[in-house]
Amino acid sequence: MDFEEFSSKVSLFILEMFHFQVVNQRSFQLLQEYLNAAKGFSSPEQHSYHFIFYLHGDTTSEKLEKVEVSLPCPQVRFLSPNRATILPATRAALGNLLFACGLSRHVKGGLTDEEDSLRISDLLQQASEIQRHNETSLLGMEQKLVVVKNAMCIGRGVRVSFCSALAGLTLKQQLALLHTLGKAFDLCKEIKLLGHSVLIGDRYGVDNLGNLWLNHEDNEEKWSAFLSAADLVTALKYKREATLRRAKELKVAKLMEIEMIFTHDSLSIHPRYLRFLNEIAESALQHGAVGGGKFYELPVKVIGSPNELGCYEGEKKCSMTTFEVDDTMGFVAVPVWENLTNMYSFIEQHGEKALESRQRFKQLEERLEEMKKKTRKLLKLRHLTFDKGLSRDKCLSACTRLSRSARELTRYTEGLSICLSHENQLPEPGSKRPLCLKWDFSISEL
């Protein structure tokens, strides 16, 4: 290496070090502004704070690593005109910054084992800051997801969705999975996927609706291999059969003059179920509406297991499912091997009882919906939802306590999205998931 080349490299190194020093200095100044705002000494001048530091990866390495962290605008609780305290959400945000810089592995933000012991006010404040930061950072991300899905639908003729088990994925993670799917499509261009539906989930296979399932943990090579080997003819067959079943169910319900007729997944794909629908439709066309049309609000569920169907077809002796009335949701359960005469006879004898249960169920649903709207309005929430595993009684109980405490809670809940659940859980940064609030919270925890 000659002197000029050596001199050039030294000059470049000095410029780089100077640049790193300038960037670090700016971030330190910005951090001081953030701390002053968090302590109430000044007003934040921007909605979010973006820090860039160049740091040594470890004590033995001379190479500098770039660390970028964005923190939401700090919130302040004023205890008096001249005294304020840093809120838990802001402390957690600062912990995230320190954690990213490698200063401590014990200050990273977010709730862990202490979720249940935190005060409700701290939980709501921390959730508010996370949600506000998510809205800023995810601006336009949803539109990108829609664009990519539409591109796959128009370009490849494939409809793509995510299974409910992946509801906790961030929008960024969903977008990354869609890009992976695009690469998988490129690897198997010779495969005709027109008209198919792809469901990104936690396993591989073809379900009874004809969806092609992909495991989200794998890469484009494995996805491409599955799509190349999948029985696409059977998948399209299942889709057509599902469409035919829905049409038959609507026809039977109309002929019998009932609210709906439906069944469970394992029976829906069994040939006996479609045969049952065809037989009932033909008989109902001749006999007319059950009960003269007075059961138009009654749902009918068709039941029966594959094992029982084997016993029935083979005329073997075994314990067979019989007619029954569901007292919770208010529907009549009908075995798939029964004929229209027995079916009409049971409904005419027990349909009134089922309708009473149905009416109670609908009234409870309406009451819960009204309570939900009232609670959301009182607390000025953006969204209020319920965990699927939460009973309606628990949902009503939680809404009642939230409404009674609206005066104390509103200053913490305005603009929040809350899901009443079995446990407290903060929104995940980078996702649209709401704050999960325990349904049996106590206002004394505020």
Side-chain angles (χ1 to χ4, degrees), residues 290-310:
V290 58
K294 66 179 181 179
F295 297 109
Y296 64 92
E297 292 184 317
L298 179 67
V300 171
K301 180 178 181 179
V302 182
I303 56 176
S305 68
N307 289 337
E308 289 176 320
L309 283 168

Side-chain angles (χ1 to χ4, degrees), residues 142-156:
E142 287 182 317
Q143 288 82 351
K144 289 181 181 179
L145 280 171
V146 172
V147 169
V148 174
K149 286 183 177 181
N150 287 342
M152 289 181 174
C153 185
I154 296 172
R156 298 287 305 218

Side-chain angles (χ1 to χ4, degrees), residues 120-274:
I120 295 297
S121 57
D122 288 341
L123 183 71
L124 296 173
Q125 288 163 356
Q126 192 165 346
S128 177
E129 191 159 343
I130 293 173
Q131 285 187 7
R132 187 172 64 252
H133 180 56
N134 283 347
E135 289 169 7
T136 304
S137 62
L138 298 177
L139 189 62
M141 190 70 74
E142 287 182 317
Q143 288 82 351
K144 289 181 181 179
L145 280 171
V146 172
V147 169
V148 174
K149 286 183 177 181
N150 287 342
M152 289 181 174
C153 185
I154 296 172
R156 298 287 305 218
V158 178
R159 295 189 178 276
V160 184
S161 58
F162 295 89
C163 76
S164 57
L166 302 185
L169 288 180
T170 66
L171 296 181
K172 186 176 181 180
Q173 289 171 325
Q174 292 180 35
L175 192 60
L177 288 171
L178 291 180
H179 286 312
T180 300
L181 182 58
K183 294 177 183 177
F185 287 159
D186 291 339
L187 291 175
C188 56
K189 290 182 179 179
E190 72 283 355
I191 304 299
K192 293 183 179 180
L193 295 171
L194 181 66
H196 286 278
S197 296
V198 170
L199 196 58
I200 300 177
D202 53 2
R203 59 185 180 274
Y204 289 101
V206 179
D207 64 20
N208 62 349
L209 297 178
N211 295 312
L212 301 169
W213 281 68
L214 299 175
N215 191 331
H216 75 285
E217 296 179 339
D218 288 334
N219 55 29
E220 58 267 25
E221 286 83 6
K222 290 188 177 181
W223 286 7
S224 173
F226 169 77
L227 293 173
S228 299
D231 188 349
L232 301 180
V233 174
T234 299
L236 284 179
K237 176 187 174 185
Y238 283 172
K239 284 196 72 172
R240 288 193 295 268
E241 289 176 349
T243 302
L244 177 62
R245 284 197 302 271
R246 285 191 288 267
K248 285 287 184 182
E249 287 169 345
L250 290 172
K251 181 179 179 180
V252 170
K254 186 176 181 180
L255 289 171
M256 292 180 62
E257 292 190 26
I258 56 176
E259 183 177 353
M260 70 179 80
I261 188 165
F262 63 101
T263 190
H264 50 82
D265 289 343
S266 61
L267 182 58
S268 66
I269 60 174
H270 199 284
R272 187 66 186 86
Y273 179 61
L274 186 59

